[in-house]
Amino acid sequence: MWAEILLVSAGGFLAAFCASIAGFAFVLVGAAVLLQFMAPALVAPILVIGSLIVQGIGTVAVWRDIPWPRMWLYVGTATLGIPLGIAVLALGPARWIVAGVGVLLVVYAGYTLARIALRMAPARLHASTGRDAAVGFASGILGGIGGYVGALVGMWADMQAMAPRDTRALMQPFIAIMQAITILGLAFTGFFTREAAILTATAVPALLLGTWLGLRAGKRLPAQGFRLVLLSLLLVSGIFLLL
């Protein structure tokens, strides 16, 4: 049990640090560590609760900058997408969809990082209600499949060249709300076991420390540094989804 406690604390610290800098990727980073040693049924509730804690703290830090109408559009459309994601998971082709998203993230992040290395001007797209709704809906599908609600929103934010604080102000409350909805689903289906509760509780200090350090690091990063972190996490996320 002590080995699992140390593993969850270490994985939670790393995931909290990354998510607090970029505004997303807690589940993807945490899963990349924990799923190597623990069963998915045990990892899922730990990561969802941990993500809610980290993103909840991040939401408080950017509360005044949250674009509420736009954020609720994401939440509403993502909520509609979750049942479809669950249905896809039950029917079987979920692996192919997740792999397709992984390819998209790898191609986009790799291409954009290459443009930065070559000092080429970044391409920029403009947001619209329809595009935001589509991204939210697709994120909900991925949330229903495996809890990956933040990756596409992060990519879309980068495509719009959003400022670091604006990116976090959109993503962190969105992810926090979606994880709260996911927690209800996990509780209803009996995933919250005594072991998961103990491991999550013992990891809270590591989560808080990782979040605090990540928020401090994020404030010190210039806009280009933030973008490099965001793109790197998108690239790592895409690779993880392909594994």
Side-chain angles (χ1 to χ4, degrees):
M1 187 64 158
W2 282 109
E4 290 182 327
I5 288 174
L6 291 175
L7 176 64
V8 171
S9 294
F13 172 83
L14 178 61
F17 180 75
C18 294
S20 296
I21 293 176
F24 87 109
F26 180 92
V27 171
L28 288 164
V29 173
V33 175
L34 299 184
L35 286 178
Q36 306 299 320
F37 308 96
M38 301 168 66
L42 179 59
V43 170
I46 293 172
L47 291 182
V48 171
I49 295 175
S51 178
L52 179 59
I53 292 172
V54 171
Q55 302 297 6
I57 295 172
T59 296
V60 173
V62 296
W63 185 265
R64 294 182 179 180
D65 300 307
I66 296 174
W68 289 105
R70 191 179 187 194
M71 196 273 296
W72 285 123
L73 173 63
Y74 276 94
V75 170
T77 52
T79 301
L80 293 176
I82 287 177
L84 180 57
I86 294 173
V88 169
L89 184 63
L91 293 174
R95 179 59 191 160
W96 295 104
I97 293 176
V98 170
V101 173
V103 170
L104 175 64
L105 293 176
V106 168
V107 170
Y108 174 77
Y111 169 74
T112 307
L113 286 169
R115 288 181 65 96
I116 292 175
L118 295 172
R119 300 183 182 277
M120 299 172 65
R124 181 174 183 177
L125 296 179
H126 296 286
S128 68
T129 300
R131 289 174 177 175
D132 283 349
V135 171
F137 185 71
S139 297
I141 294 174
L142 289 176
I145 291 175
Y148 313 119
V149 296
L152 289 180
V153 179
M155 185 181 74
W156 179 225
D158 183 72
M159 293 171 72
Q160 300 167 72
M162 289 175 60
R165 190 170 180 86
D166 292 338
T167 299
R168 288 192 290 264
L170 176 64
M171 293 178 62
Q172 293 192 290
F174 168 68
I175 295 173
I177 292 171
M178 297 312 299
Q179 297 297 29
I181 294 172
T182 303
I183 284 174
L184 294 176
L186 290 174
F188 182 76
T189 51
F191 274 90
F192 285 110
T193 63
R194 180 175 179 273
E195 183 179 7
I198 292 174
L199 290 174
T200 304
T202 55
V204 168
L207 293 175
L208 295 178
L209 178 60
T211 301
W212 180 71
L213 291 174
L215 289 173
R216 286 180 61 87
K219 289 180 180 179
R220 294 175 180 270
L221 275 179
Q224 185 72 339
F226 172 84
R227 192 172 189 226
L228 289 174
V229 171
L230 178 65
L231 288 167
S232 297
L233 286 174
L234 287 173
L235 182 62
V236 171
S237 299
I239 294 172
F240 175 76
L241 293 179
L242 289 171
L243 296 179

